[in-house]
Amino acid sequence: MNENEKLEAELLLQAIYQKYGYDFRSYAKASIRRRIKKHQAVSGFASISAMQHELIHNEQFFTTLLKELTVNVTEMFRDPDYFFSFRNQVIPVLAEKDHIQIWHAGCASGEEVYSMAIMLEEEGLAGRYRIYATDTCSEALNVAREGIYPVAIMQEGSVNYQKAGGRRSLSEYYTAHYDHVVMADRLKANLVFSEHNLVTDAVFSEMDCVVCRNVLIYFSRVLQDRVFKLFYDALPGGGFLFLGSKEHVRFSNLADKFVKVCGNEKIFKKVG
Amino acid sequence: MKAVVIGTSHGGPKALQQLISALPVDFPVPVLIVLHRHPDGKARAENQLNLACVVTVKQAEEKETVEAGTVYFAPPGYHLLIEDDETLSLSVDEKVNYSRPSIDVLFESAADVYGENLVAILLTGANSDGAEGLRSVKEAGGITIVQKPEDAEAATMPKAALRLMKPDKVLSLSEITSCLSKFLLNHSVDFYECIKGVRS
Ligand SMILES: C[S@@+](CC[C@H](N)C(=O)[O-])C[C@H]1O[C@@H](n2cnc3c(N)ncnc32)[C@H](O)[C@@H]1O
């Protein structure tokens, strides 16, 4: 991408913000530029500016671009070591409470949310927890809410489920229909999916845990600080924060307000 | 010259061992590497190299500023990109060429940032990742080097690049190694002059 295109990409993000309210202006640039270019190529526009014209005048077109910009890539039991630590080091602490509130921010199409619900059930917490799963992309949330996935993802999912210390067979948590699976209703009963934007929206309730994995890597430092403040405000002292395996509170201005809970995994606890 | 980027997959660990261990401690620019490997999150390759080499070898962390004399590996399972302010970014965007990290992703972002001040090297490998990226580096004016297919443990990756574009040089691994270290012996020597001196 040359200097002119970089400028066009900036203007495109400004246009999106002013027209539709989604604020990508402070996201890490390299990856978002790549996705803008990709969408331009796929949709056949001669330039990013030409694409900008279309997106201002055609909301439908914006919706498809939004999906590209938000990167709804996720997996069942992504990073099994993290789920293993969650099961063995965090759930015993949570189990002391009557009711557990979990905020899962940036849940994409929901695989990670179901993974967590499965573990909570296996550890005997069924009916005692609620997961508020949020994302800024409504299309991804629709998939998450329905809990219908291609059967193919369950292969790797099952391997990772076992590595994460799964006690049964993953197939006990869904029903298979030819090429897709439907997640069990008893899991869905504990899940609430709703739209929430980490850049522009506020905290909505106090939470025992905040899960936000592989979202902050897309944000600038300044934006990361805003989001850490949200999480700080949502958690009581001793509340847990789970980040992606390459994310850290270390560089934020709230670094001293969180301590690491276990060795390698990015599990933190709010001080106080 | 402001940075070196390297891409490799099958046969990569051995080739990198040779290349990186030849770099002097005062290597004047950062080196960014994508090596395809199993996504178990471990940093075996960089830990081993760090012990065996005089330059610092580490896994890239998001938002860190790249430094001269340091070699950064893309973490398994994450794309590695570089920003205009020379900080590193990681992403879990879709796989590219069935790969994450993808060589194309690193090379293209480095081409955007460094333009003609970039050296991109594509080594041994068993798929065609990196070919498009190398072409972007060349279009942006950077220097492109491909390992000679007959010299590579796996020739698919170098061959795929040669089908798509014409790199500045096609060299054996030992030529690439000596070239890099010559460039480093005398920082005032232009890297381009240096590779012109190597017969291919
Ligand atoms: C790469 S996915 C991560 C999914 C999952 N947490 C995981 O680790 O597998 C990133 C998600 O963050 C969401 N996201 C991006 N910007 C956001 C924002 N400002 N507010 C809320 N969610 C956002 C995207 O829509 C996407 O679903």
Side-chain angles (χ1 to χ4, degrees), chain A residues 1 34 214 218-219 250, chain B residues 61 63 78 93 108 112:
Chain A
M1 190 176 269
R34 190 182 164 81
N214 301 307
Y218 291 98
F219 292 1
R250 191 169 52 217
Chain B
E61 292 175 67
K63 305 271 187 289
Y78 289 79
D93 288 14
E108 284 165 20
D112 284 354

Side-chain angles (χ1 to χ4, degrees), chain A residues 24 27 70-75 78 104-108 112 135-137 140 196-199 213-215 218-219, chain B residues 92:
Chain A
F24 292 102
Y27 280 43
T70 49
V71 191
N72 308 133
V73 181
T74 183
E75 288 163 28
R78 172 186 255 164
H104 203 129
C107 67
E112 232 187 9
D135 201 284
T136 189
C137 179
H196 180 279
N197 190 315
L198 290 166
V199 183
R213 310 188 71 232
N214 301 307
V215 181
Y218 291 98
F219 292 1
Chain B
V92 289

Side-chain angles (χ1 to χ4, degrees), chain A residues 1 3 6 28-31 33-35 38 68 71 73 75 78-79 81 214 216-221 224 244-246 250-251, chain B residues 38 40-42 59-64 75-76 78 81-84 89-94 96 100 104-105 108-109 112-113:
Chain A
M1 190 176 269
E3 293 307 315
K6 287 180 184 175
K29 298 278 177 241
S31 151
R33 283 179 188 154
R34 190 182 164 81
R35 277 173 279 132
K38 185 174 154 206
E68 180 76 45
V71 191
V73 181
E75 288 163 28
R78 172 186 255 164
D79 303 328
D81 290 351
N214 301 307
L216 292 167
I217 42 173
Y218 291 98
F219 292 1
S220 70
R221 272 277 162 75
Q224 289 185 352
S245 64
K246 301 300 163 200
R250 191 169 52 217
F251 303 113
Chain B
H38 189 270
D40 67 358
K42 306 272 171 4
Q59 195 168 95
E61 292 175 67
E62 68 119 14
K63 305 271 187 289
E64 74 177 314
Y78 289 79
L81 305 94
I82 180 133
E83 303 285 347
D84 290 339
S89 280
L90 303 177
S91 96
V92 289
D93 288 14
E94 298 79 3
V96 174
R100 190 175 58 216
D104 280 349
V105 171
E108 284 165 20
S109 87
D112 284 354
V113 171

Side-chain angles (χ1 to χ4, degrees), chain B residues 4 6 54 56 58 62 68 95 117 121 125 135 146 157 163 166 170 182:
Chain B
V4 176
I6 302 174
V54 294
T56 304
K58 66 184 302 268
E62 68 119 14
K95 292 181 178 177
N117 298 311
I121 304 171
R135 182 162 68 178
V146 173
M157 190 173 276
R163 266 199 305 277
K166 190 175 178 313
V170 182
K182 245 194 263 162

Side-chain angles (χ1 to χ4, degrees), chain A residues 16-176:
Chain A
I16 290 175
Y17 177 60
Q18 284 185 223
K19 171 87 197 201
Y20 299 105
Y22 290 87
D23 192 354
F24 292 102
R25 295 172 302 170
S26 303
Y27 280 43
K29 298 278 177 241
S31 151
I32 207 155
R33 283 179 188 154
R34 190 182 164 81
R35 277 173 279 132
I36 290 172
K37 276 291 272 188
K38 185 174 154 206
H39 203 73
Q40 180 205 333
V42 171
S43 45
F45 287 100
S47 70
I48 296 171
S49 299
M51 185 164 80
Q52 173 177 325
H53 179 87
E54 181 68 15
L55 98 95
I56 290 175
H57 296 277
N58 177 355
E59 181 158 4
Q60 193 58 43
F61 180 77
F62 167 67
T63 313
T64 61
L65 176 60
L66 180 65
K67 250 189 104 190
E68 180 76 45
L69 294 184
T70 49
V71 191
N72 308 133
V73 181
T74 183
E75 288 163 28
M76 289 301 283
F77 291 98
R78 172 186 255 164
D79 303 328
D81 290 351
Y82 149 74
F83 281 99
F84 190 85
S85 302
F86 174 75
R87 183 193 285 272
N88 293 300
Q89 311 206 28
V90 178
I91 291 186
V93 179
L94 295 178
E96 289 171 14
K97 302 193 53 143
D98 293 336
H99 186 77
I100 302 149
Q101 301 257 87
I102 299 172
W103 177 16
H104 203 129
C107 67
S109 45
E111 286 88 328
E112 232 187 9
V113 184
Y114 287 100
S115 306
M116 183 171 266
I118 287 169
M119 281 193 316
L120 290 164
E121 177 177 312
E122 288 187 8
E123 299 304 314
L125 296 179
R128 282 172 53 198
Y129 71 92
R130 173 142 298 169
I131 303 181
Y132 298 87
T134 63
D135 201 284
T136 189
C137 179
S138 59
E139 284 201 33
L141 283 171
N142 287 338
V143 177
R145 211 172 273 124
E146 295 194 327
I148 300 178
Y149 302 112
V151 71
I153 72 160
M154 289 301 167
Q155 254 174 30
E156 198 187 354
S158 181
V159 173
N160 284 345
Y161 164 75
Q162 296 300 341
K163 284 191 198 156
R167 299 190 195 283
R168 305 176 199 162
S169 155
L170 190 55
S171 61
E172 291 184 29
Y173 299 97
Y174 58 79
T175 47

